[in-house]
Amino acid sequence: MSGGRAQVMWDEAVVGYDFGPGHPMDPVRLALTMRLVEAYGLDRVARTVSAPPAGESTLRLVHRPDYIAAVRAASADPGSADGSYGLGTADDPAFAGMHDAAALIAGQSVGAAEAVWSGAALHAVNFAGGLHHAMPGGASGFCVYNDAALAVARLLELGAVRVAYVDVDVHHGDGVQAAFWDDPRVLTISLHEHPRTLFPQTGWPEETGGERAEGTAVNVALPAGTGDAGWLRAFHAVVPDLLAAFRPQVLVTQHGADTHFEDPLAHLAVSVDAQRLVAEACHALAHEHAEGRWLALGGGGYAVTDVVPRSWTHLVGIAAGRPVDPASAVPEEWRHEVFRRTRQLGPLRMTDGRTPEWRDFAASGYDPADRLDQAVLATRRAVFPSHGLLP
């Protein structure tokens, strides 16, 4: 490794990814996260880097040429978007400059992947990224270009032969799974609310990869209402064993903050404290199985002042090697910034006041009456044998 320092990918222009007033994905969440990162001085510990927008050839690593052309056309004339290619819908309304803003976010994730692979950085974070629903031929779920899939595809192009992608957003990472469904070089693991109760209604444990890549798509469908203990139990019952068996050269993780109990669009009950523990676990797993190469992305999260900035600032602090004390008071100047921008009161501390604990699945055994354990066992039965593991 020639580097070793962490990088935070940031360009103020990413806030131009804006679907308009009233849309849940308010770009203020990105600006407030970066201001909180700065308020804690993490930008002086991790290098802040801006990468260029993803160009046409890069976007084509995942997206079809006709879809890219449709995004460009809708970006130039938003009124022409009629729902074709998923553009001009309630979830993904077209807006002027949409292509440029989406390509810029994608460029940050691709640039982060390049930095981690080359050794220019050991860890890289793009919390503006994680737009995991975009498909090769269409927009979906607030996502225009799939920066997560593009980052993985760029790693493969650079020579990686084993890349693991772990997605803990409350929604299934369907676009990334679809991009690598038949590619045995990529292990995709998604922990998400059960598709019976949440968009995009995919991510069943039986979805395990194509014929040439059986067992490389992993889905943990969590019951609605799952809180810290169950979420952490499921993560540790599935992810570490699979990463140990797969031996990735790079770990890419997606940290959507919409698992939180305050999130308005989903039904899990996870705290910022548990989200921080999973970020710490991903960091440790990258060092254990991928020589420390770790690319961390943002994702969903629609409690835009209280939850998202705190969760992703913890993520940056962990990647930078200077974790933020959960008990620390949120800097007063940042709370003033929250009020100035949103007329809302910001949170007072970097914790929800919880100290999450969970029971280890292997040590405590399977409870057949517990819906969380049923979900975990369904996933382990579906994919563990493909990796030489016992369910």
Side-chain angles (χ1 to χ4, degrees):
M1 285 287 168
S2 59
R5 294 191 61 199
Q7 281 187 189
V8 177
M9 311 302 296
W10 179 253
D11 186 314
E12 291 289 340
V14 298
V15 300
Y17 190 82
D18 186 354
F19 290 112
H23 194 281
M25 187 174 269
D26 188 337
V28 75
R29 70 198 191 120
L30 303 179
L32 288 176
T33 298
M34 192 61 196
R35 300 294 86 82
L36 188 55
V37 165
E38 292 166 347
Y40 274 104
L42 298 175
D43 59 320
R44 299 191 294 274
V45 183
R47 238 171 358 122
T48 302
V49 177
S50 176
E56 186 83 12
S57 63
T58 297
L59 293 173
R60 288 189 183 196
L61 291 175
V62 168
H63 295 291
R64 296 198 322 243
D66 58 314
Y67 173 59
I68 300 168
V71 174
R72 289 184 183 274
S75 184
D77 181 11
S80 68
D82 59 2
S84 302
Y85 295 97
L87 301 168
T89 63
D91 276 1
D92 297 277
F95 60 92
M98 177 174 61
H99 166 80
D100 292 340
L104 180 62
I105 290 174
Q108 305 313 303
S109 292
V110 171
E114 293 169 346
V116 169
W117 184 253
S118 71
L122 189 57
H123 308 326
V125 180
N126 177 26
F127 55 76
L131 304 180
H132 59 170
H133 294 307
M135 293 291 177
S140 177
F142 314 161
C143 305
V144 176
Y145 292 138
N146 195 320
D147 65 284
L150 287 164
V152 173
R154 180 64 175 137
L155 288 166
L156 299 177
E157 188 179 50
L158 290 170
V161 294
R162 292 185 309 281
V163 179
Y165 171 79
V166 176
D167 188 320
V168 297
D169 192 289
V170 78
H171 302 91
H172 177 223
D174 56 340
V176 184
Q177 175 179 286
F180 303 106
W181 182 254
D182 289 308
D183 195 332
R185 298 173 297 173
V186 182
L187 173 69
T188 64
I189 306 175
S190 178
L191 288 85
H192 48 266
E193 184 179 328
H194 201 286
R196 282 198 191 95
T197 54
L198 195 66
F199 173 91
Q201 282 78 53
T202 58
W204 299 79
E206 296 81 12
E207 297 171 33
T208 57
E211 289 183 7
R212 293 174 295 171
E214 181 62 40
T216 60
V218 181
N219 291 289
V220 187
L222 302 169
T226 297
D228 289 356
W231 194 62
L232 292 167
R233 178 171 168 85
F235 179 93
H236 288 283
V238 172
V239 177
D241 284 348
L242 287 173
L243 293 185
F246 188 71
R247 298 178 297 110
Q249 294 163 294
V250 185
L251 178 62
V252 180
T253 57
Q254 196 267 24
H255 297 265
D258 43 9
T259 52
H260 195 271
F261 55 78
E262 287 185 17
D263 198 273
L265 299 189
H267 317 98
L268 296 192
V270 174
S271 69
V272 164
D273 303 287
Q275 292 173 345
R276 176 180 53 82
L277 291 180
V278 160
E280 289 179 346
C282 289
H283 177 225
L285 289 166
H287 281 282
E288 186 174 352
H289 301 298
E291 298 183 15
R293 298 186 191 94
W294 181 34
L295 167 54
L297 307 171
Y302 310 102
V304 298
T305 60
D306 191 49
V307 176
V308 173
R310 290 189 298 155
S311 185
W312 292 347
T313 297
H314 278 304
L315 177 65
V316 171
I318 291 162
R322 202 173 88 183
V324 175
D325 181 357
S328 66
V330 173
E332 189 66 23
E333 67 269 23
W334 182 79
R335 297 186 70 245
H336 288 311
E337 179 74 1
V338 170
F339 189 78
R340 185 184 71 81
R341 287 177 176 265
T342 69
R343 289 299 182 262
Q344 297 178 33
L345 298 176
L348 295 173
R349 296 196 177 275
M350 290 294 286
T351 177
D352 286 331
R354 299 188 179 184
T355 52
E357 296 180 352
W358 72 97
R359 295 178 299 118
D360 181 78
F361 191 84
S364 65
Y366 163 64
D367 179 354
D370 185 270
R371 293 172 61 221
L372 187 281
D373 278 11
Q374 292 168 12
V376 168
L377 189 60
T379 299
R380 288 168 60 112
R381 282 177 171 164
V383 296
F384 270 35
S386 296
H387 297 270
L389 301 169
L390 294 174

